[in-house]
Structure formats: C-alpha cells, structure tokens
Amino acid sequence: MFNTDKPINQMCEDALGRSAFSKQLANAIINFKTKDNYAVSLQGKWGCGKTSIINMAIEEITQLSENMDEKEKIIIIQFNPWNFTDTNQLINQFFLTLTNSLKIKSKDKKIKNVGAAIEKYSSALEYSEYIPVVGKYLKLLPKLSSAFGKSIKNNAESKLNDVSYRKHEVEKALVDMNSRILVVIDDIDRLSNEQIRLIFQLVNAVAGFPNTTYLLSFDKDIVSRALGDVQGCNGQEYLEKIIQVPFDVPPLSISKLHNILFDKLNDIVELSNGIDFDTKRWRKVFNSCISPFINTLRDVNRYCNTLSFTYAAVKEEVDFIDMSGISALHLFASPIYEWIRENKFSLVGGYSGGVVLNELNKHKEDTLESFKKIYPENPIIMLNAVASLFPVFSNSVLYPTDTTSNRELNQAMRIAAKDRYDLYFTFSLDNITISRRDLNNSILNMEEQELRAYINFLNESKLFNIYLEEIKNNLSRIPEDRIELFLSVLVFQSGRVSEEQTHLIGANINDFSIYTISDLLFRIVDENKRHDIIIKMFSNTDFLSFQFLLHLLHIIELTYGRVAETKYMREEKLITLEHLYMLEEVFLERTKSFITEIDLLDWQEARRASFLWEFIDKESYNAYMKETLSNELSVPKYISIKASEWSESNGTCGYIIKDQSNTDFIDDTTIIDTINKVRFSASFWALDTRVIDT
C-alpha cells in the first residue's frame, strides 16, 4: 500500500470535513461582485490541504456557474508557476495560460477579444526591459508574436507608451466582458524568493486587470519571509497591501485525522496467529510516539508510506505496535530514533525493577536534562516515547509499574527484547534462525509426523536449543489440546505420552528443562488431565527418561512442603495430594522394577532417586540399602550420594554427611572400615570419578 500525496479533486472524496469551508470560500468569491481587480488568499502550512480545498472550491464555483446567466459566469484559469524553472519562462507561461484559456477555449466573442488583447499586451512586454518593477525580468523574454514585436519602435519611451496602450486595451475589453475571470495560482510557497516576488508584482501591477480575481494559495510565513528578503521591507505588510481577502485554512479536526490514520494502519497491520492486539499498550505508544507528530494529512501519508515499507520487510518477526512507534520517531524525530539505536544495553538490559522511589524524581530530572541536548524541541516527548517502548527505562524514570517479563517481551517480539532489538533498525532477517512463521506453524498447525520431522531437522541443524527458547517464550500460545503432543515430541524421541508401552522412548535430557514441562502442564486447565499425562509419562518411559522425570516428582513434593520447607511451596499445585500419592505408587513400582537390572547407586540420578524413595517408603528403602551395602564397593557409592561438599575462604574443602538416616542399615564404623579396605583394590579405582573424589 502506497499513499500518494495527491490532493483530492471532489467534495465526495473529502474525509477531513473541509467541504463546508470550501463552499464558503467559493461563495465569497462569487458573491463579491465588483469589476475591480482583487486578490483572495488561502493561507496554510505545507501539507494542510490547501490544494484540496481549492479543488473543492473550484468544483463548487463551476456547479454554481452552470445556473448563472451567461454574462455572470466565472471563467476559471489555473496557473501552476512551479512547473517552470526560471523567471522568464514563468512570465511567458503566465500570459500564454491566460491567452490560451480566453482566446482559444471560449466561444464568446468578447472573451476571445480579451484573450487577443492580453496576447498583444504580453507581446509588447516582450521588449520592455525598462518597465519599472518587472523590467529586469523581461529583457530576455522569448517572443510571443514576432510579427507584432517587429513593429515596436526602438526607443524606450515608445516601448513604454505601447505597453501602456496595450494594457489599456486589455482593461477595456475586460470591462466590456460581463463574465469575471478567476485566476488560481497554487503552491506559491514552492517558488524561489525572486519568483515569489514576481508573482505578487504580476498580480498587483503587470496583470492587475479589472474584472479579474486572483485566488492565491501559499504558506504565509514562507511568503512573508521571502518578500521581506527580496524587497528589503516588512514582508507581511507588503503582503497585506496586495491581498484584499485573506482566508486561513481552518484547524484540522485531529479526531478525523486520526480516524484516517487508523483506517490506513488497519490495512497495514498483520498479527501473528495467537497474538492479540494490546489495545492498552497501543494507546500508550500512539500517544507518546505517533500522535505528537501527526498534524496534517501529508503527515499521515508520509508516515503510513514509511511504516508500510519497513514493516513489510520484517512483519512476521516484529511487534506492529513497537514498529509503528519507532517508525514515527525515525520519520519525525530522528534525534530520538538515533539515540535509541545507539543505547541498546541501557534500554534492554540491566535491572528491570527501576530505581528506589525516593530517587525516582532526581533520576527523571537528570534524564530530562540530558534529553534537552538530544531533542531540545520537547524533551518530555522524548522521555515519554522511550518509556512507552522500553519497560526497563520506564521503570527507571517513572513509577515502576511495568511488570512485563523478558519472556513476555520475547513472545510478543517487542523492540525491548534483546534478540529482537536490532531487527527494528536493520530491517534484515539474516540473523533470524527460526522464523516466526515456522514457529507459529509448529505451535499451531503441524501434525505429529511433521512436527517430529521438523524437530529432527532442528537437531541436525544445531538449532534445537534456540527453538526451545522460543517455545519457552511462547508457552502461553500453545493450544491446550496440543500440549500432550508437544510433551511427546519435545521430551521423547519417539512414541506418545498416552501410549501404553514400555519400550524405549528416550528423553532429550540435555536440552529440555523440567520446568518447561511443568509450565506446559500448568497450561492444562483440567487437573485430572494433568495427572493423567504425568502418570502416563512415569509409567511408559524408559530408564533414562524415568530418571529425568524424577525432578518433576521432586518439584511436586516441594510444592506441598512434604520433603522440605522451601520457596517452592505455593498455592497453585500441579496435581492434588490424592493424585500425588498415586504418582508415588507408580514411582515405587517403576523404581523397584529398574533396580532389578541396574543398582540404584549406579543411576545418574542416584541421589534424587534415593532421597525420594527414602521419603516415600523408608522401610523398603532401608531393606534395599541394607542388602546393597553388603557389597563392599557399594559403600563408597552410597557415601558419594549422601555427602555434601564444603569449603572455606582459606581454600580448605572437604565432604560432610549431614543426613544420618543410614544408621538404620549401616553404622559409621562399618563405613570407614569398608572404605579403608576397598580403596586399595583395583575395583575401587575403576569407579566413577565422583565416587573416588568423595
């Protein structure tokens, strides 16, 4: 989508409510009935819609003229001075436009006579370099009628007399003609200073004809300054002498302008599946980064063109709201944009909790002082703009109320997310290893076979860890009915959690976090379903996966405070206590099954498995350990899982056994004697390094 800066031509296209003012302007011109020359001005800043208003006024005048008597009709002639590069060409084309419109296009004899008279007048001007005021512009003017020009006398006085005569002929022809002429000259403020002065001298003197009205459109400040520079006088006073009826473009309704902007933005925005539009944050970014700079329809069009271009390149990898904000700063407040681009660390890193409240005001004042140097136009705008985009900054200068987590920033692809920040400035996807489209497809659409193939591809490409980070950041977007599938595919190399099988499944232990499993399970609203999935995982996994899942059981126990008083105690529980008891039974059953093949003390998770078994069923645990420790090499293994390492500042370190529960099946003396005995054997030195070190 590209928004041209072309003005509208008809009132039916008016979206800013300017048609009423255009009609008022048209009626003022029509009803001001005089045969004298006079000038009407339409004054307003660049981009405020002057040309559109003129076009609508011309449309109204044309329609009203159709119902007028032929003698009262208004002849409209439009002249665009900025189409011409130099003053000679401008003067030449000005008169050509008048003569062509009057002499050639009109069928009325009196009007043709006016055109012919103006043509002769302009031909006389061709050689009149000595005419006061405009003569210096005319000495190089090309001939408009060579035949007429050859008859002019050679002396300057004759030339001047001939020009006066020809102008008198024009005036007489115009008085005889009942119709009035409306000459419209738009965009005068686009001309050079010299050309601006020439236009007003044409209107006031050279072409100041009776029965002629000039409608002049310009930015008053620019034109006044230009006239002041070239005339050496007060430009505004000079302008007031020429303009009899000034009109100022009425203030634009900001609400209407915003509505136009919103309609255009609706055509640009594209939200990823599962991403809701954050209306509250949009208001904050819009009011801080966009609204302060949108004053005209031209601003709207320029902004939407810029945004649509930059957003289209990276729309699947960025947040639309943040891209809208940073694009507005790029276009309208480049010093703010450049400062943001150069201060990545302070905006996306550091402590996100803000500063101490009693230091907040001072920090804000210091920040504003530094922003005065960067954006002296309005440092408050800069502070609010930066704060609207970056929670870390916001919490450091305003009251720390933005609790957006890093995970939420990543999930939303915000500019404040460390891994997304550069994308908002480079507009390049080269550093995106996993596209948002692929991520969304895997989260929302892929069936099991396709998802497993995609995970295998990521593994082979060494991108699985990056993918897992994306999954962690987007857990809340995974539909509840796909969670069991994700647990099966991400945690286990083959098979489904729900399948009742005991053959090897295999966990990606080195890559996957048990806390991610817990977070996924918490996404399931029905506790019974959560319990069912957990039971099936513990029941169906192979030995390696079973050890991996012991951490989940440990966490669940901690949330109930059953194994220790810890920070894990919380109101929300993954499963009920009754279901926890059932899970413990499964744990015991599978543990006793596995130890028939592999000694508990040889497990990778021997410490956690031993701890849980002892807590859940101390009697069977003691019986097993008593029998196991009858093997002398099992004693150092046991000590390695019970001992804790300690160290002091002087470098001294060692191991200590705080838990004395072993006294139920082995005493300290036996432990020491056994270790002293086996440490001289080759079998001892073949044990795991962890065991030997302990």
Side-chain angles (χ1 to χ4, degrees):
M1 180 192 73
F2 182 79
N3 299 283
T4 65
D5 203 26
K6 292 182 179 179
I8 63 172
N9 294 307
Q10 298 176 314
M11 292 186 183
C12 61
E13 302 173 49
D14 179 34
L16 297 176
R18 295 281 181 71
S19 57
F21 174 76
S22 300
K23 289 181 179 180
Q24 178 187 352
L25 176 62
N27 279 281
I29 293 172
I30 290 173
N31 294 327
F32 197 77
K33 296 179 179 179
T34 177
K35 288 188 177 293
D36 293 332
N37 166 270
Y38 74 99
V40 177
S41 67
L42 180 63
Q43 302 168 167
K45 298 294 184 182
W46 280 0
C48 70
K50 297 188 295 295
T51 302
S52 295
I53 292 173
I54 285 177
N55 289 343
M56 289 189 288
I58 290 174
E59 178 191 14
E60 180 71 6
I61 292 171
T62 302
Q63 291 178 355
L64 293 175
S65 291
E66 291 176 358
N67 299 321
M68 293 179 181
D69 185 271
E70 191 67 30
K71 296 179 180 180
E72 296 181 349
K73 288 184 180 297
I74 295 179
I75 301 169
I76 301 172
I77 300 173
Q78 291 182 267
F79 176 61
N80 296 320
W82 47 272
N83 286 337
F84 312 109
T85 57
D86 58 56
T87 53
N88 289 339
Q89 189 182 33
L90 187 150
I91 297 170
N92 187 27
Q93 292 300 322
F94 174 78
F95 284 109
L96 279 177
T97 300
L98 262 62
T99 57
N100 287 340
S101 298
L102 296 171
K103 181 182 175 183
I104 299 173
K105 296 180 182 179
S106 178
K107 297 179 181 179
D108 187 281
K109 184 177 180 180
K110 289 185 177 181
I111 296 177
K112 283 181 174 291
N113 289 339
V114 172
I118 292 176
E119 184 178 39
K120 292 178 181 179
Y121 172 55
S122 63
S123 297
L125 286 172
E126 181 180 358
Y127 291 98
S128 301
E129 61 178 290
Y130 305 105
I131 296 176
V133 181
V134 296
K136 69 174 185 176
Y137 299 115
L138 301 174
K139 60 182 178 181
L140 299 178
L141 194 66
K143 296 180 181 180
L144 295 174
S145 175
S146 57
F148 180 77
K150 289 177 182 178
S151 67
I152 299 178
K153 295 179 180 179
N154 291 327
N155 62 75
E157 183 179 354
S158 297
K159 294 175 187 175
L160 183 58
N161 290 335
D162 194 64
V163 168
S164 299
Y165 173 74
R166 295 303 178 187
K167 184 176 182 182
H168 177 72
E169 280 190 330
V170 173
E171 293 171 346
K172 183 177 182 302
L174 283 166
V175 171
D176 291 341
M177 182 186 74
N178 291 318
S179 298
R180 285 187 292 154
I181 297 174
L182 174 64
V183 180
V184 181
I185 307 179
D186 193 12
D187 291 324
I188 296 174
D189 44 28
R190 293 191 185 187
L191 302 173
S192 68
N193 287 2
E194 290 288 351
Q195 289 174 319
I196 288 175
R197 176 171 72 166
L198 178 57
I199 286 292
F200 284 97
Q201 289 172 341
L202 284 172
V203 169
N204 186 49
V206 180
F209 305 133
N211 244 348
T212 303
T213 301
Y214 286 92
L215 175 56
L216 310 176
S217 168
F218 51 82
D219 182 322
K220 182 179 179 180
D221 293 338
I222 294 175
V223 168
S224 296
R225 190 162 52 248
L227 291 173
D229 290 343
V230 296
Q231 290 290 114
C233 64
N234 186 307
Q236 185 169 336
E237 291 181 357
Y238 182 90
L239 191 61
E240 290 172 354
K241 292 178 181 178
I242 299 175
I243 303 298
Q244 285 77 41
V245 185
F247 280 88
D248 289 320
V249 174
L252 188 63
S253 169
I254 294 300
S255 61
K256 290 183 179 179
L257 191 64
H258 285 176
N259 287 337
I260 293 173
L261 172 60
F262 296 152
D263 287 341
K264 292 180 182 294
L265 292 178
N266 281 335
D267 293 333
I268 298 174
V269 63
E270 292 185 26
L271 298 179
S272 300
N273 290 333
I275 298 291
D276 295 326
F277 191 79
D278 189 340
T279 304
K280 181 179 179 181
R281 190 165 64 82
W282 164 249
R283 285 198 296 267
K284 184 177 181 181
V285 171
F286 178 79
N287 290 333
S288 301
C289 299
I290 304 171
S291 178
F293 308 106
I294 300 294
N295 300 303
T296 68
L297 188 58
R298 180 169 293 169
D299 293 335
V300 170
N301 289 331
R302 289 180 64 214
Y303 170 63
C304 290
N305 288 338
T306 300
L307 177 61
S308 62
F309 178 79
T310 55
Y311 180 62
V314 291
K315 61 186 177 184
E316 294 181 348
E317 305 295 338
V318 299
D319 171 60
F320 175 77
I321 296 175
D322 283 359
M323 180 57 83
S324 299
I326 199 68
S327 294
L329 298 178
H330 190 191
L331 180 63
F332 299 114
S334 58
I336 302 177
Y337 174 86
E338 292 299 334
W339 184 88
I340 291 174
R341 185 166 65 174
E342 295 170 3
N343 287 272
K344 177 178 180 178
F345 175 76
S346 62
L347 294 173
V348 304
Y351 173 57
S352 61
V355 297
V356 180
L357 287 179
N358 58 10
E359 299 177 356
L360 196 66
N361 289 334
K362 184 179 185 307
H363 189 247
K364 181 178 179 180
E365 291 173 2
D366 292 343
T367 302
L368 281 173
E369 281 299 315
S370 66
F371 281 4
K372 285 180 182 178
K373 301 175 183 177
I374 301 163
Y375 194 67
E377 293 92 328
N378 195 327
I380 288 290
I381 282 182
M382 180 170 179
L383 183 137
N384 291 335
V386 178
S388 71
L389 297 173
F390 299 95
V392 170
F393 178 84
S394 176
N395 289 335
S396 70
V397 296
L398 306 173
Y399 285 102
T401 57
D402 194 331
T403 58
T404 309
S405 67
N406 288 328
R407 174 173 292 186
E408 290 170 324
L409 291 173
N410 278 291
Q411 175 177 316
M413 302 179 292
R414 296 269 304 276
I415 190 175
K418 182 179 179 182
D419 294 337
R420 297 282 161 176
Y421 180 92
D422 294 333
L423 191 55
Y424 283 82
F425 302 96
T426 62
F427 314 123
S428 171
L429 301 178
D430 291 345
N431 295 325
I432 300 297
T433 53
I434 298 176
S435 72
R436 181 56 53 144
R437 177 180 296 177
D438 288 344
L439 178 67
N440 287 342
N441 194 27
S442 71
I443 288 176
L444 304 172
N445 303 316
M446 287 184 183
E447 297 296 334
E448 180 178 356
Q449 185 175 358
E450 184 182 5
L451 183 57
R452 287 191 182 279
Y454 180 57
I455 297 301
N456 287 335
F457 165 77
L458 293 175
N459 267 320
E460 293 170 0
S461 305
K462 302 187 183 305
L463 297 175
F464 184 63
N465 286 335
I466 297 175
Y467 178 75
L468 282 182
E469 285 302 312
E470 292 290 352
I471 289 297
K472 292 174 188 176
N473 292 330
N474 288 272
L475 286 177
S476 63
R477 297 180 55 225
I478 300 176
E480 184 178 342
D481 60 0
R482 288 176 59 84
I483 290 176
E484 189 270 336
L485 169 63
F486 262 83
L487 285 171
S488 298
V489 174
L490 295 179
V491 182
F492 308 112
Q493 293 174 354
S494 62
R496 291 291 293 271
V497 170
S498 59
E499 295 174 356
E500 295 183 2
Q501 56 184 18
T502 56
H503 66 269
L504 289 180
I505 296 176
N508 296 309
I509 293 176
N510 294 328
D511 299 316
F512 210 75
S513 166
I514 202 70
Y515 296 104
T516 304
I517 293 178
S518 176
D519 291 340
L520 271 171
L521 289 168
F522 267 118
R523 292 269 296 111
I524 300 173
V525 176
D526 187 348
E527 185 275 339
N528 287 309
K529 187 174 181 180
R530 293 202 297 261
H531 168 255
D532 183 55
I533 291 176
I534 293 171
I535 288 292
K536 287 175 179 176
M537 283 197 297
F538 273 85
S539 300
N540 298 334
T541 56
D542 70 312
F543 176 60
L544 187 63
S545 303
F546 179 77
Q547 292 183 82
F548 172 65
L549 291 174
L550 292 181
H551 193 183
L552 180 62
L553 174 59
H554 195 176
I555 291 174
I556 297 173
E557 296 281 9
L558 287 171
T559 60
Y560 278 99
R562 283 169 48 78
V563 292
E565 293 288 337
T566 72
K567 63 181 180 180
Y568 292 102
M569 288 188 65
R570 57 185 182 184
E571 198 65 33
E572 188 179 18
K573 306 293 191 296
L574 195 56
I575 56 177
T576 65
L577 190 58
E578 180 182 359
H579 283 154
L580 176 56
Y581 293 150
M582 295 172 64
L583 179 59
E584 290 175 347
E585 290 297 322
V586 173
F587 161 77
L588 289 174
E589 179 183 347
R590 298 224 67 196
T591 297
K592 292 174 182 179
S593 172
F594 286 128
I595 61 175
T596 61
E597 299 179 7
I598 303 176
D599 194 303
L600 179 66
L601 297 177
D602 291 327
W603 291 16
Q604 289 185 5
E605 288 291 326
R607 184 189 295 268
R608 195 186 306 276
S610 176
F611 174 77
L612 288 170
W613 187 1
E614 183 178 11
F615 172 77
I616 294 170
D617 186 1
K618 187 172 185 178
E619 184 177 350
S620 65
Y621 173 77
N622 287 348
Y624 172 78
M625 292 305 300
K626 186 174 183 179
E627 179 180 352
T628 298
L629 292 179
S630 62
N631 181 335
E632 293 179 339
L633 280 176
S634 295
V635 174
K637 295 178 185 177
Y638 174 77
I639 295 302
S640 70
I641 69 170
K642 301 295 280 188
S644 301
E645 188 175 2
W646 61 270
S647 62
E648 294 182 354
S649 57
N650 60 8
T652 305
C653 61
Y655 293 89
I656 185 172
I657 300 177
K658 297 179 181 179
D659 181 6
Q660 296 298 319
S661 60
N662 58 280
T663 55
D664 291 333
F665 44 82
I666 190 171
D667 57 65
D668 292 345
T669 301
T670 302
I671 292 174
I672 294 172
D673 290 343
T674 302
I675 291 176
N676 285 330
K677 180 180 178 181
V678 300
R679 68 192 180 93
F680 295 104
S681 67
S683 299
F684 173 80
W685 295 103
L687 294 174
D688 187 270
T689 304
R690 174 178 61 87
V691 177
I692 296 172
D693 290 343
T694 305

